[in-house]
Amino acid sequence: MATTLRKPPVADPATAGGSRPRTGARRYWHLYAAISPFYLLFLCFGLIPVGFSLYVSLHRWDGLGSMEWAGLSQYQYLLGDSDFWTAVGNTIVIWALATFPMIFLAMVTAVMLNSAVRLKNLYRFAYFLPNVTSVVAIAIIFGSVFSTNFGLVNALLQAVGLDQVAWLNTPWGIKIAVATLMTWQWTGYNAIIFLAGLQTIPGELYEAARMDGAGPVQTFFRITLPMMRPVLLFVLVVSTVTGLQSFSEPQVLLQTTSNDSTFAGGPGHAGQTMVLYFFQQTFDNNDFGYGAAVAWGVFLVVVLFSIINWRLVQRRGED
């Protein structure tokens, strides 16, 4: 009768030597140690500062002296602060003027890049370059472009027989200038994201559409746009988060300095965004408690608009 040989069981290192089997963190401690630097840095430079800002918002503090308990009075004042709500309105208008044209131009650019045959990498680099360029340098250049007397935009208007516009001295001119800067800065970045989404759409869908007699416009609205909805949602949410936190663009473009807080955002505070108002209250007025309350107000506005945009895009997707 044949004897069946069985392979001896392999000893588990965790139970070797008669010790108890290791479970959870004790068994995989080296893996947790490998990823711990990220969480430690996030705790030190992310979570703790956020919690401290919430704590500061409940106190009156000039940044150096002792804190004085204020409770929710900072938030009560924030709800009735007309300057804050003016900054909220300015931010929303600038965001709308920048985001929707930017998404349209980014989509058109991505479609053109996707159909390009030669020099694709060169075009991608050229369109992405504005996003990696210093915002301060961009703002200085756009300040010259929108200059009243020597700006390129007014020179073009005069060339076609139109009057000059004081772009940086009128409320709507300021908003258009800031929105144009943001559109130019982020169009290429979002075009690259759209391009990545376009390249995931199967080519068989377009071939079937052409065989059915669909034209380019029908193909775009019936195939490309529905398939790009998740990417469009991502771009819209990211654009909302970044656009509602605009700071460097109006700060540099309108030449706002801490020595002249009354001019923050240009004439009439037309370009004063929420984050610029936070900067003014915190570092110009040395009111760190109220500045922290403003920061949390900015956070709630950004979250609210992100949820609204997400719900609108999801509802259209269900329809």
Side-chain angles (χ1 to χ4, degrees), residues 40 50 64 76 94 139 242 249 272 277 309:
L40 292 176
V50 169
L64 296 175
Q76 292 176 351
I94 293 173
T242 56
E249 297 86 353
Q272 186 177 59
Y277 183 68
N309 289 332

Side-chain angles (χ1 to χ4, degrees), residues 246-307:
S246 57
F247 167 74
S248 300
E249 297 86 353
Q251 172 78 357
V252 180
L253 183 61
L254 302 173
Q255 299 179 355
T256 304
T257 63
S258 59
N259 297 326
D260 188 10
S261 60
T262 59
F263 194 73
H269 304 285
Q272 186 177 59
T273 60
M274 294 186 295
V275 179
L276 189 57
Y277 183 68
F278 153 76
F279 179 87
Q280 177 190 358
Q281 295 298 318
T282 305
F283 300 104
D284 291 349
N285 299 339
N286 293 324
D287 193 348
F288 284 77
Y290 185 62
V294 172
W296 278 96
V298 173
F299 169 76
L300 293 177
V301 172
V302 172
V303 170
L304 177 62
F305 269 80
S306 298
I307 293 175

Side-chain angles (χ1 to χ4, degrees), residues 52-53 55-70 74 281-282 285-292:
F52 183 69
S53 68
Y55 175 78
V56 171
S57 68
L58 302 176
H59 295 77
R60 294 185 180 91
W61 187 40
D62 61 358
L64 296 175
S66 59
M67 294 185 181
E68 179 185 351
W69 175 258
Q74 307 272 29
Q281 295 298 318
T282 305
N285 299 339
N286 293 324
D287 193 348
F288 284 77
Y290 185 62

Side-chain angles (χ1 to χ4, degrees), residues 109 112-113 116-129 188 192:
T109 303
M112 294 173 61
L113 288 175
V117 179
R118 301 176 59 185
L119 303 178
K120 283 186 177 182
N121 294 330
L122 178 61
Y123 293 142
R124 294 174 186 176
F125 171 78
Y127 283 112
F128 192 77
L129 184 61
I192 299 300

Side-chain angles (χ1 to χ4, degrees), residues 13-47:
T15 59
S19 61
R20 292 183 178 181
R22 297 180 181 179
T23 59
R26 293 183 59 190
R27 185 173 184 179
Y28 302 104
W29 67 269
H30 56 289
L31 300 179
Y32 289 111
I35 63 175
S36 62
F38 167 79
Y39 292 99
L40 292 176
L41 291 174
F42 174 74
L43 178 66
C44 295
F45 299 101
L47 194 58

